């Protein structure tokens, strides 16, 4: 992961001369009971969801400090950065870590003109969610129960997350840093 991020940053700089925006959007979501999480399960998730995002943001920031205009780093977290869910203790811990790192990076990088934001989506209609809704009755019922907790009554669409990322990356949010944008259909207002 670390080498891939550095290669992507180098490729961007080679092609465009600078790095203006970096979006961290990688993660896995294995559902495992807290009592059943192995050290290997924990390490695999944290290496990608937390360590990979942290180091990629750091490497992006190291490039952005060379840009007089600064830049924007956006971490895609999850509503799990704010709440907990069953069978996901390691996932929730990783998302909380990234939410905290977003704030710390924002404080450290602001003097360099670099803003750092987080976007926290809820359940989004992805191929995996579609498979779950069409899958076993147990899987479908679990997803339907999740959807019932969303006041807007549906999963989000990928484009709705993309619009929030666009806002965070644009000058429309020029006076925002360390903030987390919720893309949750009202889930957290309950």
């Amino acid at each position: 992961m670390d080498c891939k991020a550095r290669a992507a940053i180098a490729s961007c700089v080679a092609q465009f001369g600078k790095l203006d925006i970096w979006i961290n959007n990688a993660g896995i979501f294995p559902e495992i009971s807290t009592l059943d999480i192995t050290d290997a399960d924990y390490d695999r998730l944290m290496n990608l969801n937390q360590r990979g995002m942290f180091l990629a943001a750091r490497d992006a920031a190291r490039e952005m400090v060379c840009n007089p205009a600064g830049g924007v780093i956006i971490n895609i977290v999850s509503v799990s950065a704010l709440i907990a869910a069953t069978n996901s203790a390691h996932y929730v811990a990783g998302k909380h870590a990234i939410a905290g790192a977003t704030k710390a990076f924002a404080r450290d990088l602001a003097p360099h003109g670099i803003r750092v934001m987080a976007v926290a989506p809820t359940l989004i209609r992805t191929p995996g969610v579609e498979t779950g809704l069409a899958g076993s009755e147990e899987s479908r019922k679990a997803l339907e129960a999740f959807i019932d907790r969303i006041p807007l009554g549906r999963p989000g669409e990928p484009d709705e997350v993309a619009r929030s990322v666009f806002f965070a990356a644009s000058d429309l949010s020029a006076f925002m840093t360390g903030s987390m944008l919720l893309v949750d259909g009202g889930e957290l207002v309950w």
Side-chain angles (χ1 to χ4, degrees):
M1 176 66 176
D2 305 338
C3 293
K4 289 180 183 177
R6 283 195 283 280
I9 291 166
S11 175
C12 179
V13 173
Q15 185 171 354
F16 301 108
K18 61 183 178 172
L19 179 66
D20 294 309
I21 301 165
W22 180 261
I23 301 169
N24 274 317
N25 185 31
I28 54 175
F29 181 74
E31 289 188 69
I32 305 171
S33 165
T34 299
L35 298 175
D36 295 331
I37 297 170
T38 66
D39 292 356
D41 293 329
Y42 182 85
D43 290 344
R44 179 174 170 259
L45 182 132
M46 287 302 211
N47 278 336
L48 178 60
N49 290 18
Q50 193 273 328
R51 185 177 190 274
M53 289 184 93
F54 184 95
L55 297 178
R58 179 205 62 196
D59 291 346
R62 286 176 174 170
E63 186 58 46
M64 288 176 181
V65 297
C66 300
N67 181 355
V72 182
I73 297 170
I74 301 166
N75 295 317
I76 308 299
V77 291
S78 164
V79 293
S80 293
L82 300 168
I83 59 173
T86 306
N87 294 328
S88 61
H90 56 330
Y91 179 79
V92 170
K95 293 303 180 178
H96 274 76
I98 292 300
T102 297
K103 293 176 185 180
F105 272 59
R107 295 284 303 212
D108 288 348
L109 299 175
H112 302 283
I114 301 169
R115 297 185 305 108
V116 186
M117 302 281 288
V119 174
T122 187
L123 184 70
I124 301 299
R125 189 178 303 279
T126 62
V129 169
E130 290 298 321
T131 299
L133 287 169
S136 71
E137 186 169 334
E138 180 183 352
S139 176
R140 192 180 76 257
K141 283 184 177 181
L143 284 169
E144 288 171 353
F146 192 109
I147 293 167
D148 287 344
R149 294 193 321 251
I150 300 172
L152 290 181
R154 63 176 178 82
E157 297 295 333
D159 187 61
E160 292 168 321
V161 178
R163 290 181 214 178
S164 297
V165 170
F166 175 80
F167 171 77
S170 76
D171 287 341
L172 295 170
S173 63
F175 197 62
M176 296 175 73
T177 193
S179 302
M180 182 182 300
L181 300 174
L182 297 177
V183 186
D184 71 343
E187 178 185 2
L188 297 187
V189 300
W190 288 115

